[in-house]
Amino acid sequence: MAESLAEDLCAFVDAGPSPFHAVAEMARRLEGAGFQALDERRPWRLSPGDRRYVIRDGGSVIAFRMGRESPADAGYRLVGAHTDSPTMRVRPSSDVRREHYRLLGVEPYGGLLAHTWLDRDLTVAGRVAVPTAHGVEMRLVHLPGAPLRIPSLAIHLFRELREDGLKLDPQRHLLPVHGPEDDGQRPVLQQVAEQAGCPLPDILGHDLVLTDTQPSAVAGTSIRAPRLDNLASCHAGLGALMDAAPAAATQVLVANDHEEVGSGSAEGARGPFLEDVLRRLVAAAGDDDPQAPARAFAGSMLVSADCAHAVHPNYADRHETSHRPRLGSGPVIKANANQAYATDAATTAGFLTACRQAGVSPQYFVSRADLPCGSTIGPLAATRLGIATIDVGAPILSMHSCREQADTRDVAPTVAALQAHFQTAAARMG
């Protein structure tokens, strides 16, 4: 079971080199499980048990199964994740020439560990906007092979590295090299246009990111893969929703884009996407009471699923002494006194109830008091909607690296805990 789920996670990650590919893969799997697409521009009419999903701007998706009871009466059981990962985005004018080399103009996206992108075989993936007879069409692209690489500077020319350490200027040092100007290769955007099936001048816009070309792999109990933060949570939430038994409450999975850069977009967690959908579900279920959405939110709970920091064997001092999650020991409850995580006593109790029903024993993480804490979509969604929220996640190493590490033994327990949450009727306490 653990091995098959881990291999499926690897296949899911490899199918999602960009947020748009990840959402397309989620939609493909949802369709296979009987979920049907909705259009935000059309009226929705929904009945108990209906399975639907809706995509906003290609990179965010919300999938749900309507409950046996009205959301106003039974609330929502939600799992939240995000589809984006730290990387580098291709600039609008990206053809850069230096010293008779062709380079690709990029800029960092999110808090990436920049040095981990050096000397790796890279390509680009994402979407392009193309005019058609029926209007503008968004097309997914993912260049084959490994046309790009960010070469390190040889130690012979960089002796001070030993004393001063590596300091990378993103403007000067992180542009991937495509090759010499005279090697006969077509420019990257020309190759993108060919894969999109249009002339280069027809590309009206693009959202392209760098992506590692090395496939995900399982070695022993280790999963080595790019974008585990946070496609691992998208995978777990998706599996949990598709396998969950119908319940009184409406079960909802939301996977937002742009978490790594603050979630400030129409489809990000700071935006109205989730609220728009939740309010429409109340109305589509036939409840026209003006107080119904507020009642639904008050009886709901969100599990914000985002990968957690496993204790690092070479940097154990960076962890709080009594909170050192280990790979292979189950999902992690994340807490922070200053609300960088939305976890509190009531939501911890709700999630522990689900874990016990699933036979899962969670771990705990808090940051050291003298180190800053990262955050997630959890506090953003809780602030916007007033829904009780907890932050959890599977433990990983090398978070925000070009290639991260998880454990096969954490995949099934994380799915099981989220599935139990979808099926649990616990309401907010206090």
Side-chain angles (χ1 to χ4, degrees):
M1 176 67 170
E3 290 183 0
S4 62
L5 271 177
E7 294 289 352
D8 188 65
L9 170 58
C10 288
F12 180 80
V13 170
D14 290 344
S18 76
F20 314 107
H21 287 82
V23 167
E25 174 64 10
M26 293 176 76
R28 185 189 70 81
R29 293 181 176 220
L30 287 164
E31 294 275 354
F35 288 72
Q36 300 173 6
L38 289 173
D39 187 332
E40 286 195 88
R41 298 167 296 181
R42 307 297 183 195
W44 297 355
R45 296 289 183 268
L46 298 167
S47 301
D50 283 352
R51 292 168 290 175
R52 303 288 187 269
Y53 72 91
V54 59
I55 294 171
R56 179 173 286 189
D57 198 32
S60 297
V61 60
I62 295 175
F64 58 89
R65 178 187 288 106
M66 294 298 292
R68 291 190 298 269
E69 300 178 17
S70 163
D73 295 325
Y76 298 107
R77 297 296 168 266
L78 304 105
V79 170
H82 64 88
T83 60
D84 61 325
S85 300
T87 180
M88 282 172 270
R89 286 192 55 152
V90 179
R91 285 174 162 158
S93 297
S94 59
D95 187 12
V96 178
R97 307 295 172 105
R98 292 180 185 167
E99 302 299 328
H100 304 290
Y101 286 94
R102 279 196 320 277
L103 298 90
L104 188 68
V106 298
E107 59 183 321
Y109 174 91
L112 74 165
L113 286 175
H115 66 277
T116 65
W117 289 79
L118 302 181
D119 302 323
R120 297 200 65 86
D121 294 335
L122 305 173
T123 188
V124 296
R127 65 178 184 175
V128 296
V130 178
T132 72
H134 306 288
V136 175
E137 181 179 303
M138 309 304 295
R139 297 180 183 174
L140 297 182
V141 292
H142 184 196
L143 290 190
L148 300 166
R149 187 171 182 268
I150 307 173
S152 297
L153 182 61
I155 189 65
H156 313 78
L157 304 175
F158 195 15
R159 300 289 185 182
E160 61 270 30
L161 174 66
R162 293 191 180 98
E163 290 75 31
D164 299 338
L166 181 62
K167 298 177 182 179
L168 296 171
D169 181 337
Q171 179 68 18
R172 295 186 297 140
H173 301 147
L174 292 181
L175 271 62
V177 175
H178 187 211
E181 286 182 316
D182 59 358
D183 67 357
Q185 294 190 79
R186 302 181 308 289
V188 169
L189 285 188
Q190 179 64 49
Q191 297 181 44
V192 166
E194 291 170 3
Q195 191 179 88
C198 68
L200 180 56
D202 277 6
I203 292 182
L204 303 177
H206 60 73
D207 295 309
L208 300 171
V209 297
L210 288 191
T211 183
D212 186 17
T213 62
Q214 184 178 355
S216 304
V218 175
T221 63
S222 292
I223 301 171
R224 288 88 177 266
R227 302 179 297 280
L228 289 172
D229 176 22
N230 191 34
L231 292 189
S233 299
C234 293
H235 175 265
L238 185 66
L241 177 65
M242 293 191 302
D243 292 342
T250 295
Q251 302 157 338
V252 181
L253 170 67
V254 53
N256 293 109
D257 198 358
H258 302 143
E259 189 274 346
E260 297 292 355
V261 291
S263 297
S265 66
E267 63 271 28
R270 287 187 191 273
F273 185 31
L274 179 58
E275 182 176 5
D276 287 348
V277 170
L278 296 185
R279 289 184 178 277
R280 289 188 72 167
L281 296 190
V282 172
D287 197 329
D288 57 2
D289 179 0
Q291 298 185 48
R295 290 167 52 208
F297 296 168
S300 300
M301 179 172 163
L302 166 66
V303 175
S304 168
D306 203 346
C307 290
H309 297 290
V311 62
H312 195 300
N314 295 334
Y315 299 91
D317 62 307
R318 290 284 172 159
H319 279 257
E320 204 284 318
T321 306
S322 301
H323 300 84
R324 295 182 172 181
R326 295 182 297 140
L327 293 178
S329 295
V332 180
I333 295 174
K334 302 187 287 186
N336 179 260
N338 295 303
Q339 288 296 294
Y341 302 130
T343 303
D344 64 15
T347 55
T348 298
F351 187 68
L352 279 176
T353 298
C355 286
R356 288 171 180 170
Q357 292 178 358
V360 172
S361 297
Q363 307 180 80
Y364 292 85
F365 172 82
V366 299
S367 290
R368 277 177 34 166
D370 56 349
L371 291 177
C373 181
S375 192
T376 71
I377 69 168
L380 302 178
T383 299
R384 183 175 181 93
L385 300 174
I387 290 178
T389 302
I390 187 171
D391 276 289
V392 308
I396 66 171
L397 292 172
S398 305
M399 188 180 290
H400 287 200
S401 171
C402 184
R403 198 166 177 84
E404 299 164 324
Q405 180 176 341
D407 196 292
T408 60
R409 295 167 295 179
D410 291 322
V411 182
T414 302
V415 174
L418 297 181
Q419 182 176 334
H421 162 68
F422 278 132
Q423 299 169 174
T424 299
R428 186 170 185 171
M429 295 174 283

